[in-house]
Amino acid sequence: MSAQLSNPLTDPAADPFEVARRAADDIRRITGVDTHDIAVTLGSGWGKSAELLGETVAQFPATEVTGFSAPALEGHVGTLRSVRTPRGKHVLVIGARTHYYEGHGVRRVAHSVRTAAAAGAATMVLTNGAGGIKPAWKPGQPVLISDHINLTADSPLEGATFVDLTDLYSLRLRDLARSIDPSLDEGVYCQFRGPQYETPAEVQMAKTIGGHIVGMSTALEAIAARQAGMEVLGLSLITNKAAGIQTTPLSHQEVIDAGREAEPVISSLLARVIGAM
Ligand code: 8IG
């Protein structure tokens, strides 16, 4: 049976936190690392940082871990890695994000974050490639996420689970990142459902309601991370100006190219930020 068909999260009766505990046990068995301190999800453009974080203890396909499935998109690596930083922290590197637009539901979107929490991680670093609304932002520029607006009309929380999201994106961790790179700007991340990019009118709406970054991930994952009690750092690589902010049409290739070009610089930044944690 394929991993896809055997994914326990497709069973509505499954407890997603129990599935995450089983996934964390898989990771302990495969890596020999009992507790991971930090987890980082690598979005488009951020992939090269895994090597720079420290010594790789183990690297394995995400499909070896309960509840994970193969990546849907080229450019998204379906690999998990356990890295030990020079300061001795164990980092779980997640190269296997499930996007909301894949249509597998919020449990699958939240699974990597819940697994990281069950593996012991107290800090969740979420990175992504995204569109920029602030006119001054250039493709290839990394920015900090200061807050989000969840435009998916969905939530990883089930039932009457009232989670406080004040300070969701930790000021302490944003200040830590700025101590590494004082030029880092920050903005409000708007998660759209995707997979289509926004219309210019939707980008204007996002701008009007206080958004600066448009993307298709991260907000739902950040909510799940906060529910799990983790401290969250969010970083976006601006790969393109959002639709209508730039006058030319958006292309997936442009997004890939901008990510590839910025990769060495932002990967080293991310490694230094995590190395300082
Ligand atoms: I990379 O312009 C990337 N991801 N929603 N809009 C949305 N997601 C994105 C964009 C963008 N660029």
Side-chain angles (χ1 to χ4, degrees), residues 1-246:
M1 205 192 292
S2 77
Q4 198 86 346
L5 289 170
S6 64
N7 193 311
L9 289 170
T10 51
D11 175 2
D15 170 5
F17 298 96
E18 150 66 11
V19 177
R21 281 192 294 273
R22 279 161 52 201
D25 286 342
D26 291 337
I27 289 170
R28 287 191 182 92
R29 176 175 46 77
I30 295 166
T31 64
V33 175
D34 194 54
T35 303
H36 282 87
D37 307 290
I38 300 161
V40 54
T41 300
L42 299 179
S44 353
W46 298 91
K48 283 286 187 301
S49 48
E51 276 103 78
L52 305 174
L53 281 167
E55 172 210 343
T56 296
V57 175
Q59 188 178 358
F60 47 100
T63 46
E64 287 181 13
V65 178
T66 302
F68 282 76
S69 30
L73 202 69
E74 198 198 344
H76 293 234
V77 221
T79 302
L80 299 180
R81 197 194 289 232
S82 179
V83 179
R84 193 175 179 280
T85 70
R87 287 167 74 162
K89 293 274 170 87
H90 291 282
V91 182
L92 180 65
V93 182
I94 302 163
R97 169 178 271 145
T98 298
H99 285 90
Y100 186 69
Y101 59 67
E102 291 171 51
H104 301 305
V106 282
R107 287 180 169 190
R108 288 273 286 278
V109 170
H111 182 60
S112 57
V113 167
R114 288 177 175 150
T115 297
T123 306
M124 187 73 230
V125 182
L126 298 169
T127 68
N128 59 57
I133 296 180
K134 280 196 194 179
W137 288 349
K138 302 260 182 334
Q141 179 175 347
V143 300
L144 292 162
I145 300 176
S146 59
D147 201 346
H148 80 220
I149 299 172
N150 172 12
L151 297 175
T152 65
D154 210 337
S155 170
L157 310 182
E158 300 179 27
T161 310
F162 303 112
V163 172
D164 175 56
L165 299 182
T166 316
D167 307 317
L168 174 56
Y169 298 89
S170 165
L171 180 58
R172 186 185 78 85
L173 293 179
R174 278 184 278 147
D175 283 342
L176 176 73
R178 280 187 286 253
S179 76
I180 305 289
D181 179 359
S183 77
L184 277 172
D185 200 359
E186 65 178 27
V188 173
Y189 181 93
C190 289
Q191 180 172 357
F192 282 82
R193 183 198 173 284
Q196 72 282 355
Y197 294 119
E198 295 72 35
T199 64
E202 287 165 343
V203 170
Q204 284 308 308
M205 176 194 75
K207 182 180 177 182
T208 302
I209 63 178
H212 308 106
I213 307 164
V214 284
M216 303 177 196
S217 65
T218 303
L220 294 173
E221 296 166 14
I223 295 167
R226 169 49 55 94
Q227 177 190 30
M230 303 167 101
E231 189 174 13
V232 177
L233 176 66
L235 283 157
S236 290
L237 169 67
I238 302 302
T239 60
N240 57 278
K241 288 174 182 273
I245 304 292
Q246 69 172 31

